[in-house]
Amino acid sequence: GEDVEQSLFLSVREGDSSVINCTYTDSSSTYLYWYKQEPGAGLQLLTYIFSNMDMKQDQRLTVLLNKKDKHLSLRIADTQTGDSAIYFCAENDYKLSFGAGTTVTVRA
Amino acid sequence: ETGVTQSPTHLIKTRGQQVTLRCSSQSGHNTVSWYQQALGQGPQFIFQYYREEENGRGNFPPRFSGLQFPNYSSELNVNALELDDSALYLCASSLDSGTGDTEAFFGQGTRLTVV
């Protein structure tokens, strides 16, 4: 994922909001994705956003897209201990290109 | 539960050996992609198969090869295993309508350890 960059770690208190940031390079990507990976598990698609949208909300998840800056963010409201995981953003140009992942740790 | 199953879940092989990993796609999906995820990294694209033909390949040597069968299940074969091949191998299936933009469903992965 050298074309997709993410911060590596995020620590957040239970009940607070988490914001995970990502930059990408392929402006032709039609969709941008957020995946969640728990220890020892595969990838779970959390949400995605179509490239002509600025924002998408899905329950506790809000995705913001700034196409000009090629910046994508994922906000998790009311973060819970079950949200502790690695989060990957990915761009799609027939194949998925992933960032290195952001490890989110939720502390009590 | 994505409907994509991979086998085996764990595997230990010796350097120089060959390995075959298997993936059963979600029903109705015609495209399967394989990814390698080394420890602490994001998944890296190996290749994709669409209707039994290779449809794109990432930066992996020829000793990584694959097959897709008429029922759209798939195999990943790795010859002459190296220690650096130790990783989680993920299979993703999708229904490609030709636009290239489609939701991919991942299996739980096969953890390969090369010793």
Side-chain angles (χ1 to χ4, degrees):
Chain A
E2 66 271 13
D3 297 329
V4 180
E5 293 188 355
Q6 304 177 234
S7 52
L8 293 182
F9 300 99
L10 176 67
S11 178
V12 62
R13 188 174 302 180
E14 190 175 10
D16 287 351
S17 293
S18 309
V19 179
I20 307 168
N21 294 300
C22 168
T23 58
Y24 62 96
T25 58
D26 188 352
S27 58
S28 66
S29 293
T30 306
Y31 290 96
L32 294 148
Y33 301 85
W34 283 102
Y35 283 87
K36 177 183 180 182
Q37 187 176 39
E38 298 185 52
L43 296 173
Q44 173 196 353
L45 178 64
L46 280 180
T47 187
Y48 60 91
I49 187 166
F50 192 52
S51 61
N52 69 353
M53 298 171 65
D54 297 325
M55 185 181 84
K56 178 180 178 181
Q57 187 151 2
D58 184 0
Q59 299 182 340
R60 293 191 297 122
L61 305 178
T62 303
V63 180
L64 295 178
L65 175 60
N66 181 329
K67 282 196 73 173
K68 175 176 170 290
D69 295 337
K70 295 192 181 112
H71 183 267
L72 183 73
S73 68
L74 174 69
R75 178 177 179 269
I76 306 172
D78 187 24
T79 310
Q80 303 297 306
T81 54
D83 295 324
S84 293
I86 303 175
Y87 292 80
F88 294 95
C89 67
E91 60 182 359
N92 186 6
D93 62 350
Y94 91 86
K95 61 174 172 59
L96 292 168
S97 295
F98 290 88
T102 299
T103 300
V104 173
T105 303
V106 181
R107 60 187 193 276
Chain B
E1 186 66 41
T2 64
V4 180
T5 57
Q6 293 186 242
S7 62
T9 55
H10 296 83
L11 197 55
I12 299 175
K13 286 287 191 177
T14 303
R15 190 171 47 184
Q17 285 187 313
Q18 179 267 345
V19 69
T20 298
L21 309 181
R22 295 180 174 81
C23 173
S24 177
S25 302
Q26 186 169 2
S27 178
H29 284 183
N30 57 14
T31 302
V32 65
S33 303
W34 286 90
Y35 293 83
Q36 180 196 65
Q37 186 180 18
L39 198 61
Q41 298 182 22
Q44 297 291 313
F45 175 73
I46 304 174
F47 42 57
Q48 182 183 88
Y49 280 82
Y50 171 69
R51 295 186 174 177
E52 303 178 58
E53 297 286 331
E54 188 177 291
N55 187 38
R57 189 178 181 93
N59 189 26
F60 280 82
R63 58 189 186 84
F64 284 78
S65 62
L67 281 174
Q68 187 181 30
F69 299 100
N71 66 356
Y72 300 135
S73 65
S74 176
E75 285 182 357
L76 164 65
N77 298 290
V78 187
N79 293 322
L81 283 166
E82 300 177 0
L83 297 180
D84 285 349
D85 296 333
S86 295
L88 180 68
Y89 288 84
L90 295 163
C91 164
S93 79
S94 56
L95 178 60
D96 189 348
S97 60
T99 65
D101 295 309
T102 181
E103 182 175 347
F105 294 86
F106 282 83
Q108 292 295 95
T110 294
R111 173 74 61 188
L112 173 65
T113 303
V114 182
V115 296

